[in-house]
Amino acid sequence: MLCRQSEAIRTLYTDMSVDSCKVLVLGDLSYPSAPRQSSLGMIELINACQRLGASCTAVTYVGADELGAAVIAELAAMQTTTDIIQLQDWQTVTEERLAGLDRDAIDQLGIPFSTRSECLAHLTNRAEKHLTDADLLIVVDEGLGAVSGTEALGFLASRAGASSLVVRRVFASDEAAKEYLRVDKVLPSIQSAAIMTWLTQMLGPLQERA
């Protein structure tokens, strides 16, 4: 495990990759205290890709707290390569805490504004690094602030020859789907069946090539 320390954030990297098609799952993580019944977040998406035979890398952020440590341990137990930003003075977010909130309220709970630009730069740099050998990029947008430049992420994926999917939380106040530029597909996290169909269609041919 490699660690680098700054005043506000700490990055933790553990490589668990295997010889199979590779999926980079990047963005917001809201930890579910119980299995989600009607939507897919980062943990569920990683599980789904692994069930389809893919090797996953998770690039996300957690707080420097007990729940953040539990998230890191769970991802390691799932045999997931992790490149995680550990934010000081911030609490790891649970799915239950976000339930029923609108986009503005969730944004306030997200990455602290004082370190948001630094965190976003770290996430983009890590996306570029891991996309060098990834077959598929999945961007998870829970509204917490990690996903603000999908055009750059989509461009990086396209340049690397990887397909791209955005899985987004749907808010009651949304008048229309948020624009995501340069990505191949955008699906609401509540459309779990559609997400699974798309992943199966994408990962099947990739597995045959791997």
Side-chain angles (χ1 to χ4, degrees):
M1 178 178 292
L2 303 178
C3 302
R4 290 181 292 278
Q5 184 78 46
S6 71
E7 288 186 6
I9 66 176
R10 184 186 188 196
T11 58
L12 309 171
Y13 177 69
T14 303
D15 189 346
M16 307 283 276
S17 59
V18 297
D19 291 331
S20 64
C21 70
K22 293 180 171 59
V23 178
L24 172 59
V25 187
L26 176 146
D28 297 327
L29 189 155
S30 60
Y31 187 75
S33 300
R36 299 184 198 225
Q37 300 300 318
S38 59
S39 66
L40 299 178
M42 182 173 287
I43 297 288
E44 293 80 13
L45 288 164
I46 291 170
N47 265 321
C49 291
Q50 290 178 331
R51 288 198 303 272
L52 292 168
S55 174
C56 292
T57 296
V59 177
T60 187
Y61 57 95
V62 297
D65 53 17
E66 185 176 346
L67 182 55
V71 169
I72 293 171
E74 179 166 340
L75 289 171
M78 293 166 61
Q79 299 296 301
T80 303
T81 296
T82 56
D83 201 340
I84 295 178
I85 298 171
Q86 197 174 53
L87 298 173
Q88 309 299 317
D89 302 319
W90 184 74
Q91 290 185 336
T92 305
V93 174
T94 64
E95 173 61 23
E96 291 71 23
R97 191 177 176 196
L98 302 185
L101 298 180
D102 62 21
R103 179 176 289 277
D104 290 340
I106 287 181
D107 187 60
Q108 292 295 320
L109 293 175
I111 301 174
F113 291 104
S114 59
T115 57
R116 186 166 292 193
S117 60
E118 183 182 2
C119 185
L120 291 174
H122 275 275
L123 289 171
T124 302
N125 288 340
R126 275 149 184 74
E128 186 169 16
K129 168 188 170 183
H130 293 293
L131 278 168
T132 57
D133 65 349
D135 300 291
L136 171 63
L137 168 67
I138 300 177
V139 178
V140 183
D141 184 2
E142 299 276 14
L144 291 166
V147 184
S148 65
T150 55
E151 182 173 9
L153 294 172
F155 171 77
L156 291 173
S158 177
R159 188 176 68 179
S163 301
S164 53
L165 166 69
V166 172
V167 176
R168 65 181 291 270
R169 179 182 289 267
V170 175
F171 297 92
S173 59
D174 283 356
E175 295 180 1
K178 181 180 175 182
E179 286 190 28
Y180 296 91
L181 303 176
R182 290 181 175 268
V183 296
D184 297 322
K185 188 73 172 179
V186 180
L187 289 168
S189 59
I190 57 174
Q191 293 185 6
S192 54
I195 293 170
M196 287 304 304
T197 297
W198 193 88
L199 289 176
T200 301
Q201 291 171 347
M202 292 300 300
L203 293 179
L206 291 174
Q207 286 289 58
E208 293 173 3
R209 282 179 11 208

